[in-house]
Amino acid sequence: QVQLVESGGGLVQAGGSLRLSCAASGRSFSNYAMGWFRQAPGKEREFVAAVSRNGNANYADSVKGRFTMSRDNAKNSIYLQMNSLNPEDTAVYYCAAKQAAYGNDWYQNSNSYDYWGQGTQVTVSS
């Protein structure tokens, strides 16, 4: 069982930056592939980024070059550094975890994930 708690959301002006954190409880965090998703009002939840057990990160095209995802297994945490934010990035951001058999595995489909955080609101004003 894994519990996930996001933090770091808030209100920022367009062009600004935020850093989201997701802290995981439970054992064997290093065995989990992790993901960030977001959901804007009236829209479906969408993939933002994912990191494999060995730390390789992958990104949605909409955030590539602006967002950086990382993990710190010693702190049971993942991070999402978000730069050059624009109003289209406004959403509730969720972290998710899935136990992965292989170090290189990462997951883009939200249905693949077993555990979810409660979400943190990010609002970007124009």
Side-chain angles (χ1 to χ4, degrees), residues 51-71:
V51 67
S52 62
R53 288 173 51 189
N54 61 15
N56 290 329
N58 296 270
Y59 302 93
D61 288 342
S62 59
V63 306
K64 201 171 293 184
R66 300 187 298 124
F67 290 11
T68 302
M69 182 177 183
S70 60
R71 67 185 299 158

Side-chain angles (χ1 to χ4, degrees), residues 5-20:
V5 179
E6 301 97 335
S7 61
L11 173 64
V12 64
Q13 289 187 332
S17 299
L18 281 175
R19 187 187 191 220
L20 305 184

Side-chain angles (χ1 to χ4, degrees), residues 4 6 37 45 94-97 110-111 113-118:
L4 304 172
E6 301 97 335
F37 291 79
R45 189 171 297 188
Y94 300 90
C95 66
S110 61
N111 292 329
Y113 289 85
D114 302 313
Y115 304 100
W116 292 84
Q118 82 291 347

Side-chain angles (χ1 to χ4, degrees), residues 18-118:
L18 281 175
R19 187 187 191 220
L20 305 184
S21 300
C22 173
S25 64
R27 296 182 293 181
S28 303
F29 174 75
S30 60
N31 290 340
Y32 288 82
M34 304 294 294
W36 284 101
F37 291 79
R38 65 187 182 186
Q39 188 166 18
K43 294 187 177 181
E44 294 186 352
R45 189 171 297 188
E46 66 172 0
F47 170 76
V48 175
V51 67
S52 62
R53 288 173 51 189
N54 61 15
N56 290 329
N58 296 270
Y59 302 93
D61 288 342
S62 59
V63 306
K64 201 171 293 184
R66 300 187 298 124
F67 290 11
T68 302
M69 182 177 183
S70 60
R71 67 185 299 158
D72 185 340
N73 289 341
K75 295 184 178 180
N76 281 13
S77 294
I78 59 170
Y79 307 97
L80 187 68
Q81 177 66 44
M82 305 187 294
N83 299 328
S84 302
L85 285 161
N86 59 63
E88 290 71 37
D89 296 316
T90 295
V92 178
Y93 283 70
Y94 300 90
C95 66
K98 174 180 173 53
Q99 195 161 11
Y102 301 102
N104 289 327
D105 289 348
W106 62 279
Y107 305 92
Q108 186 171 349
N109 190 327
S110 61
N111 292 329
S112 299
Y113 289 85
D114 302 313
Y115 304 100
W116 292 84
Q118 82 291 347

